């Protein structure tokens, strides 16, 4: 059994990953606009602390774990988001569900988990930013699943759900897709994970969404 399989059996949501870091974080100051980013590899790979980077001086906390699916995120949402007392949570999730990383899932199951995270945040007075799943024409580690139409379907649901609940929806997908409804080579090396150029498209979109909730202007 692989190390990954053992970890799924013993700590399915991987609470251990950020447990110590979460405990070390002091509660936010009253004026601090703390934001937690919940997600998978695309969030984890976003280097928030890069010197001179757009996020470097911001109270943004990265809680992305590579490979994770929405059921795993639901189970760590209290520890890794709510306990940190942010003003805003930015949720980017769903592509690994479609890839079947923790087993087969229906689109409705993914949507229910996205809704569960948004509901938990709202219940705890945390404002919600829901991010579209990025385009993907194929998954290199799980080829032949035709993810593009499934991604489109979840994004369409998410946009409608966000509007109904007055959450902010960030449409990375429209800004990044190519003619195949995938992620183009100028924004990604593998068609799934953004390069620096890809993150440069994403950053102003998510910052505008956060600022719309915190009242900041750039």
């Amino acid at each position: 059994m692989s190390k990954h399989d053992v970890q799924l059996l013993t700590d399915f949501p991987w609470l251990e990953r950020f447990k110590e870091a979460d405990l070390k974080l002091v509660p936010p100051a009253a004026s601090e606009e703390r934001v937690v980013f919940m997600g998978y590899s695309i969030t984890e790979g976003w280097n928030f602390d890069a010197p001179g980077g757009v996020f470097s001086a911001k109270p943004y906390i990265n809680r992305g774990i590579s490979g994770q699916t929405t059921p795993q995120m639901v189970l760590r949402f209290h520890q890794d988001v709510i306990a940190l007392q942010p003003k805003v949570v930015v949720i980017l999730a769903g592509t690994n569900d479609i890839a079947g990383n923790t087993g087969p899932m229906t689109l409705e199951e993914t949507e229910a988990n996205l809704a569960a995270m948004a509901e938990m945040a709202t219940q705890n007075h945390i404002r919600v930013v829901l991010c579209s799943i990025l385009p993907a024409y194929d998954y290199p580690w799980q080829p032949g699943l035709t993810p593009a139409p499934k991604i489109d379907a979840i994004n369409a649901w998410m946009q409608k759900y966000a509007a109904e609940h007055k959450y902010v929806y960030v449409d990375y997908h429209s800004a990044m897709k190519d003619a195949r409804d995938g992620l183009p080579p100028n924004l990604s090396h593998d068609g799934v994970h953004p390069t620096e150029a890809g993150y440069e498209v994403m950053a102003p979109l998510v910052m505008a969404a956060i600022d719309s909730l915190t009242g900041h202007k750039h």
Side-chain angles (χ1 to χ4, degrees), residues 68-71 93-107 110 133-134 136 139 141-142 144-155:
Q68 282 215 330
T69 56
T70 60
T95 218
N96 291 322
D97 297 30
I98 296 167
N101 281 20
T102 52
M105 288 182 65
T106 65
L107 303 188
T110 297
I133 303 173
L134 270 66
Y139 297 129
W141 69 97
Q142 203 70 290
L145 291 178
T146 323
K150 297 167 190 169
I151 291 170
D152 291 343
I154 292 175
N155 286 343

Side-chain angles (χ1 to χ4, degrees), residues 102-117:
T102 52
M105 288 182 65
T106 65
L107 303 188
E108 290 76 16
E109 287 165 347
T110 297
E111 290 160 7
N113 287 331
L114 289 166
M117 286 190 272

Side-chain angles (χ1 to χ4, degrees), residues 9-128:
L9 282 173
T10 57
D11 182 9
F12 177 71
W14 203 2
L15 291 166
E16 202 56 44
R17 170 76 172 82
F18 288 117
K19 199 173 194 173
E20 289 303 314
D22 290 340
L23 289 170
K24 282 187 185 133
L25 267 180
V26 294
S31 61
E32 186 184 319
E33 303 285 1
R34 180 174 287 179
V35 180
V36 177
F37 284 65
M38 169 58 83
Y40 53 102
S41 55
I42 291 174
T43 299
E44 184 177 16
W46 204 337
N47 188 355
F48 286 13
D49 302 325
V54 285
F55 295 167
S56 59
K58 295 184 174 292
Y60 291 179
I61 298 166
N62 191 325
R63 289 294 177 263
I65 298 181
S66 181
Q68 282 215 330
T69 56
T70 60
Q72 293 174 297
M73 293 182 208
V74 166
L75 291 174
R76 66 184 179 91
F77 201 81
H78 264 268
Q79 175 187 286
D80 288 349
V81 178
I82 293 167
L84 309 184
Q85 301 173 36
K87 293 272 200 309
V88 177
V89 63
V90 176
I91 299 167
L92 173 60
T95 218
N96 291 322
D97 297 30
I98 296 167
N101 281 20
T102 52
M105 288 182 65
T106 65
L107 303 188
E108 290 76 16
E109 287 165 347
T110 297
E111 290 160 7
N113 287 331
L114 289 166
M117 286 190 272
E119 288 161 7
M120 282 191 276
T122 303
Q123 197 65 34
N124 288 277
H125 314 292
I126 300 165
R127 284 161 290 184
V128 177

